[in-house]
Each structure stands twice: as C-alpha cells, then as structure tokens.
Amino acid sequence: MLDNCSDLSNHTQLVPVPVVHSFPALVFGILLIMVVTLGNVLVCLSVYSEKALKTTTNYFIVSLAFADLLLAVLVLPLFVYAEFQGGVWSLNMFICDGLMTMDVMLCTASIFNLCAISVDRFIAVAIPLNYNRKHVDHRQLILLLGTWLLALAVASPVIFGINNVPNRDPGKCKLEDNNYVIYSSICSFFIPCPIMVLLYFGVFRGLRHWEVARKAKLRSSIEACRKLQHAAIATALPPLTGAIPGHLPMHIPRMIERDLAQSQLDDMDDYMKQEIPYPHQYGANSIPTVTYSQEQHSKKGAKINSRERKAMRVLPVVVGCFLFCWTPFFVVHTTGAVCLRCEIPPGLTSTVTWLGYVNSALNPIIYTIFNTEFKKFFKKCFRNCCYTCFV
C-alpha cells in the first residue's frame, strides 16, 4: 500500500506543467529577429564599404551594431522560444545559464558602447587638436576593448554558477540571485547612464561655444576686409573688382570666400545642399583660423567640421531611445530584487523585456532617418535587392 502511494506521488511530480503556446509572441519575435539582423548587418557593411562613413565615431557605432547583432543571433531565438511556450522553460539549466550570461553581457556591452561613444565625442569637442578623426588610435582602441571586457566581467558570475541557488525552479529561466540582479543593474545601467547624459551635456555645450566662435571669426574676417578697402580708398588706390553681400565692393580673399560658403552650407538642411552644392575648390579643406580674439579657442573649433556636427546630432536620439526602451526593464527587475514582497505581474516583466529588445532594431532606423550617408547606403542596398528580385 505504501509502495503504491509512493509510486503515485512520484508519478504526480513528473507531470509536466501545462504549456499555453503564444503564437503572437512567436510571429513578433521572428519579425524582430529579422529586422535586428538585417538592420545591424547593413550598418556594419555600410561602414566597411563606404569611405565617407569610415570615421572614428562610426567604428564605435559598428561595435554597438555588433552587440545588437549578437543579441539577435544568440539571445532572441531562445527568448522567443520561451515566450512561445508561455514563459515556461523546457530546456536544461546549463543552456539557461548560457542564455542569461549572453543576455547580461550583450545588453551591458550596448550600454558601455553608448557610454564610450559619449566619451569619444566629449574628447573630440573638448580637446580636438589631440583627437584622431580618420583612424582609430590606441586610446580609442583601448576604449573599444574596455567596453567588451567590462561587459564580460559583469556577466561572468552567471556562467560561473551564481544562478545555482537552492530550490531553483527548472520551469523558469531568469537571474536567481537578487544581490547579483542589483549589482549587475547598477554596473550596467544606473552608473553609466548618468555619466553618458552628463558627457553629452558637455558635448553640446562645447558645440554651442563653437558656433559662437565660428560666427565671430567670420565677422572678424569681413571687418578686416572692410578695413583694407577703406585703407585702399584713403590712399587713392584703384578699387578692386568684385562684390560680396553686405556692400563690400571688392574681391574677397579665398579663405574668407571659403568661410562664407561653409557658413551658408552649415545653415542649410540636406535637401538644400543637394540643390546648392558646396564649391568643389573648398570641399576638402577645413576652415582656417582668421583674426579672432580667442585664437586658441578658434583653432580648436576649426577642427570640428559640418559633417561631424551633424553626426553628433544623431547620437542623443540613439541614447534617448535606449533610455526609453531599457529604463523600464531595469526599474522593474531591480524593484523585484529589492522588494521581495512586491508582486510583479509576469506580463509586466515580459513587456519590459520585449521593449528592451526592440531597441536593438531601432538604432539602424535612427541612422537611416538622421544620417545622410547611412541613408544613401541603405537606399542603394534596397534598390539593388529589389532590382535583383524583379530581374
């Protein structure tokens, strides 16, 4: 009799948890994987193949895209499978720990890459004379490698067994140690994000000072021309031919012509630039410093070109979308780890996790909308693909 009861008890424990399949999660997950993979592959290919995109900032963007691409290949398929199973984990715990390790590392790498971009931009604005824009130097290479090594260091406790807690539920795949959840959230999000925001505040403050210096320099150059004109008239020299806006009837020195052309172009949008291209004889050169009281500041500012300033405008949008997508995730998970009595609905946890993963698909779209060079490459790729399909 006791043996029969024992057999019945063992049989009851082996009954699997009923699984409710979620086909919307499966469809949305497959689409998300396709969009993330395609978009970030195009970002990497564009920087590799287009000379205009081979800038230091874009190498950091490639590192960010690579992290998102690995997320789509290594993390999202297993996450989508678990969501399709209704949140029930049916694989072994070793795969779960591997999934959690890659999840923490790649999300952390994305945040650290954004933070590294903000450090790189701040250096470019604060000390531009010492900044290498064409090639990745040893400082930038250390910054790139440091982002990935730090991300690996934050995630490594999972693969080394911190998830193996007593009475672990094999039907759920999550981070089990609440102290580690708090630690990883602080290292991955709550420390780097405020640093990133402060650095971007410094970047745009520096750009605003640069704009003031540029306009003052241009006014100083024109005033110098007017003084030369007045001196020529006073000494009864024959007037020079030519005219410029602002009632200055004389030929403008080449460097000031270039200043004026650059100033007018900087205030135009991309559509107007296609209508009125920049004079080719000035296109490849930076604007030299002309008489200006803050000479050293002007020399620094002159190193920041129009294309670079426009590229900087994209980055706050990337950071803003990242904060919008990932802040709910870290707030919810940290709250669950700190407040053990708080009941967080599984639906809320699933929603904020999906929202975080959606961010990996947004970055290529942001580049396409706000960056002309990325937009041209993406359009060319889609045009070639459509041509190949229909021919």
Side-chain angles (χ1 to χ4, degrees), residues 279-342:
H280 64 86
Q281 63 267 35
Y282 310 131
N285 301 319
S286 61
I287 305 172
T289 301
V290 190
T291 305
Y292 178 55
S293 58
Q294 301 178 8
E295 182 178 354
Q296 185 66 24
H297 185 76
S298 295
K299 287 181 180 178
K300 290 184 179 182
K303 291 288 183 179
I304 307 172
N305 57 40
S306 175
R307 176 182 291 173
E308 190 169 27
R309 294 200 328 276
K310 292 183 184 301
M312 288 182 186
R313 295 173 188 169
V314 183
L315 301 177
V317 182
V318 175
V319 174
C321 288
F322 187 92
L323 294 176
F324 174 79
C325 291
W326 281 109
T327 300
F329 172 86
F330 283 99
V331 170
V332 168
H333 281 73
T334 305
T335 302
V338 172
C339 180
L340 299 180
R341 295 183 179 180
C342 298

Side-chain angles (χ1 to χ4, degrees), residues 5 34 66 76 90 135 145-146 168 181 196 198 204 209 215 239 242-243 252 265 275 297 321 327 347-348 351 386:
C5 291
M34 293 173 61
F66 185 65
L76 281 179
S90 57
H135 306 286
L145 292 176
R168 183 178 181 182
V181 171
M196 194 184 339
L198 289 175
F204 282 93
H209 290 327
K215 292 177 181 179
I252 315 172
L265 261 180
E275 301 292 330
H297 185 76
C321 288
T327 300
L348 177 61
T351 300
C386 292

Side-chain angles (χ1 to χ4, degrees), residues 55-193:
T55 64
T56 303
T57 302
N58 287 342
Y59 289 133
F60 283 94
I61 289 176
V62 166
S63 180
L64 175 64
F66 185 65
D68 290 336
L69 186 59
L70 288 179
L71 187 77
V73 174
L74 300 177
V75 174
L76 281 179
L78 291 174
F79 171 76
V80 171
Y81 174 75
E83 289 293 298
F84 173 67
Q85 298 281 94
V88 177
W89 183 256
S90 57
L91 304 176
N92 64 56
M93 289 292 100
F94 180 77
I95 296 177
C96 172
D97 289 344
L99 173 63
M100 290 293 100
T101 302
M102 296 305 300
D103 192 10
V104 172
M105 188 187 79
L106 294 175
C107 292
T108 304
S110 295
I111 300 173
F112 285 175
N113 273 298
L114 287 172
C115 198
I117 292 173
S118 65
V119 172
D120 179 74
R121 293 295 82 205
F122 182 78
I123 294 173
V125 172
I127 47 174
L129 292 179
N130 297 326
Y131 181 77
N132 189 352
R133 285 169 168 75
K134 295 183 179 179
H135 306 286
V136 177
D137 61 19
H138 67 279
R139 289 174 297 182
Q140 294 157 342
L141 185 61
I142 291 173
L143 194 57
L144 275 171
L145 292 176
T147 59
W148 286 93
L149 291 176
L150 287 174
L152 179 60
V154 172
S156 59
V158 181
I159 202 64
F160 289 135
I162 200 172
N163 239 17
N164 295 327
V165 297
N167 301 321
R168 183 178 181 182
D169 185 358
K172 293 182 180 180
C173 183
K174 61 178 184 175
L175 294 176
E176 300 287 348
D177 190 285
N178 289 328
N179 292 326
Y180 175 75
V181 171
I182 298 171
Y183 157 78
S184 61
S185 298
I186 292 174
C187 292
S188 301
F189 187 80
F190 292 110
I191 289 178
C193 286

Side-chain angles (χ1 to χ4, degrees), residues 44-56:
C44 296
L45 287 177
S46 62
V47 176
Y48 175 78
S49 59
E50 295 293 321
K51 185 177 180 180
L53 289 172
K54 293 184 183 297
T55 64
T56 303

